[in-house]
Amino acid sequence: MSGWMGKIVAIDLGSRERRTVAVSEETRRRFLGGRGLGVRLYNDPCPDPIDPFDPDNALIFMTGPLTGTTMTSGRYQVVSRSPLTGTICDSSSGGTFGAALKGAGVDGLIVRGRAERPVYLAVQDGEVEVRDAAALWGLDTQKTQKAVQAEISSKASVACIGPAGENRVLFAAVMNDKDRAAGRGGMGAVMGGKNLKAVAASGNRAVAIADPAGYKDLTARLDRIVDKNPVTGKSLQVLGTSVLVNIINAHGMFPTENFRRGVFNDAEGTSGEKIAETLLERQSACYKCPIGCGRTTRTRTKRGEGPEYETAWAFGANLGISDLTAIAEANYACNELGLDTITMGGTLGCAMELRETGAWKENFRWGEAGRLLDWVTDTAYRRGVGADLALGSKRLAVKHGRPELAMQVKGMEIPAYDPRGAQGMALSYATSNRGGCHMRAYMIAPEILGHPVFLDRFSTAGKAELVALFQDVSAVVDSAVLCRFLQFAVGISTFAEILRTVTGLDWSEEELMRVGRRIYTLERLFNIRAGFGRADDALPPRFLNEELQTGSSRRRRVGLEPMLDDYYAVRGWDRNGVPRPQTLAELGL
Amino acid sequence: MDGIIKVQFFGLLRRRVRTAAVDVAGEDVSVLTLLGRAEKAAGGRFLDELLDREKELLAGTIILVNGENIRLKQGLETRVRAGDTVALFSPAGGG
Ligand code: SF4
């Protein structure tokens, strides 16, 4: 079977029972792999949504048909029900772990049950072994990876949790290949709930390619396109993602002090340009990636990865902090403890506004860089104020009586673009299946960066079609699985071609878009069963009622409801956001 | 005496011209004219990062006049006046 290793293993950590899950060619055609297949298998058999910490909640590690093949294909997706949002969730991570899993002869793992004592999984030669992890429990992510490699093989790629995941912090990340994170949605907490400390994979099995000659031509062409493209061939390499700091700030939509303003006066000091001049040691890259958007950095006393754009913002402008060293070291700490930096920063921003309004009497002050590390560490161990911070902003704000001060959608913190500055991005946040996230439909590309076309960011017209389209393409790329940054250089036709040469199966562009739509709709169906509806496709009232006062997005608010009506119509969902029977029939759901 | 228009450089452009901003003399000029003057003021060529050979804006280039994208105005013919700030960004991406 070209593209796939042909083995998905389901394992119950409680009973230690394991079986191989057969997936038909038809299902692979309809859901690809990664996110799509993960969500499909999560829903099989169509379960009543259960508590994310219930042992029966499946935690799925899934690769795609392209994993381990061409550039940027080291990625994998983690799929489960999120303890942070209660939605279906998939979280993506780079590095090499995805490729290593296939090298070990396995396309994916479905983990259920709860181990009595801490364990880790070792995947080699198509077999999954459960090993004792008592000695690993309590270690940070870096030490865990080293210890597992010492036991298995120095070449093993290890995905693991740190103390945050062990303590079930609701936004704990799964970390792999040192500092790569499946960050969003608390997949690390689900892992911790299962007493699963790590998954290690090693092996040299090759992915079979259906059309080697066509594949070779195509990848040579892809190399040239990516190299010649100014974003993938230059900007991301030299300046990383934080090049966006100055751009988004100049558009007056760089969220400052918990989204109260859109201009951060000290943005320059936390920008990609500044990082390149100061902390940057070298660029770093995932498996077979010629782009290498990662940043290996060092401060006077520490060394690590990041910050990338979202983190430079989450611990920077969002908290009124411009001390780049403090931001980088908080980032390193999150990597070591296994925490999602966006939700961590979003929650701290909420805490600071709660304090300022007098709703929470703890000593959180804007701009206080000196305590950042303590707050992050306390969160991972749920001690002191960290016990509340570990809940994420939504629960924190509700607990202190000011729910409107949490900048979240469906319980997930909104990242580094104020939706008042880009109406399409606002709709994208509101309709994201996993909550306030920018990765379902990255409308910043057309609305700010002019890619692939330039759109008026303040207009709501036509945004619904485009958001739906972007959501569908993204679902395809997340299921293939390739890195989303390739989208700056190539479109759906290229993804269809790569899929064809690797798997030997043919998808027309239209069929592939339908695959994306099917995945998006299946996720939506789960959320509806879990009780989500139109009322949850919402934004915090700040964005609907308060205008930004300064900068080039001033006097703007989000006009959500009309766009939402358009969006449901485009999607073939009814007024409450429920897919119509005819829509489901068209998608074969 | 002409007034001053501030031209700021970001991203790769800044590494190319090796300065974050220059002041350009001008009262009421088009963006295109301003860019020519900015090249002289910066003392180094950079227009090829922003424009193609036909002097059209390259895809992904962002030029803001007082925070507003010239693509939503009159493009390179957009007028710039003394006291305005013009921000130039070479194509960039991230997430
Ligand atoms: S572009 Fe960046 S995130 Fe994507 S595969 Fe390359 S290094 Fe990893």
Side-chain angles (χ1 to χ4, degrees), chain A residues 405-425:
Chain A
L405 297 185
M407 299 300 122
Q408 51 78 31
V409 175
K410 300 182 180 78
M412 185 186 274
E413 287 65 20
I414 295 175
Y417 314 93
D418 192 307
R420 288 166 287 193
Q423 297 287 334
M425 198 64 228

Side-chain angles (χ1 to χ4, degrees), chain A residues 235-236 238-239 246-247 268 273 309-310 417 438 442 448-449 454 485 488 552, chain B residues 10-12 14-15 49 60 62 64 67 69 71-72 89 91-95:
Chain A
S235 180
L236 278 171
V238 178
L239 296 170
N246 281 324
I247 298 177
E268 186 67 53
E273 290 90 327
Y309 172 64
E310 294 298 340
Y417 314 93
H438 57 297
Y442 189 58
I448 303 294
L449 305 172
F454 181 77
F485 286 165
F488 284 111
S552 57
Chain B
F10 293 99
L12 294 170
R14 181 182 296 174
R15 293 172 80 85
E49 301 260 2
I62 303 171
L64 306 180
N69 197 312
R71 289 179 199 266
L72 294 173
F89 302 86

Side-chain angles (χ1 to χ4, degrees), chain A residues 188-207:
Chain A
V190 177
M191 204 163 152
K194 296 191 172 310
N195 262 335
L196 178 61
K197 179 67 176 172
V199 181
S202 76
N204 294 318
R205 292 198 189 173
V207 181

Side-chain angles (χ1 to χ4, degrees), chain A residues 394-449:
Chain A
K394 182 180 176 182
R395 290 170 176 84
L396 178 73
V398 167
K399 179 168 175 184
H400 295 284
R402 299 293 300 271
E404 76 283 5
L405 297 185
M407 299 300 122
Q408 51 78 31
V409 175
K410 300 182 180 78
M412 185 186 274
E413 287 65 20
I414 295 175
Y417 314 93
D418 192 307
R420 288 166 287 193
Q423 297 287 334
M425 198 64 228
L427 180 64
S428 168
Y429 285 151
T431 58
S432 156
N433 282 332
R434 66 173 189 178
C437 126
H438 57 297
M439 293 307 286
R440 303 289 93 157
Y442 189 58
M443 291 298 288
I444 296 306
E447 292 188 314
I448 303 294
L449 305 172

Side-chain angles (χ1 to χ4, degrees), chain A residues 71-75 93-95 180 232 236 241 283-294 482-486:
Chain A
M71 63 167 67
T72 81
S73 68
R75 310 188 73 84
S93 180
R180 292 285 160 176
T232 52
L236 278 171
T241 56
Q283 71 179 117
S284 59
C286 302
Y287 178 81
K288 279 198 195 172
C289 179
I291 303 169
C293 71
L482 290 178
C483 177
R484 299 279 303 284
F485 286 165
L486 276 186

Side-chain angles (χ1 to χ4, degrees), chain A residues 238-290:
Chain A
V238 178
L239 296 170
T241 56
S242 294
V243 70
L244 289 173
V245 168
N246 281 324
I247 298 177
I248 302 303
N249 197 49
H251 286 81
M253 51 183 289
F254 192 48
T256 301
E257 296 186 358
N258 205 33
F259 292 76
R260 295 185 309 172
R261 293 195 303 281
V263 178
F264 183 46
N265 291 334
D266 292 328
E268 186 67 53
T270 62
S271 66
E273 290 90 327
K274 191 70 170 187
I275 293 169
E277 280 167 21
T278 55
L279 303 184
L280 183 66
E281 195 174 281
R282 58 180 172 79
Q283 71 179 117
S284 59
C286 302
Y287 178 81
K288 279 198 195 172
C289 179

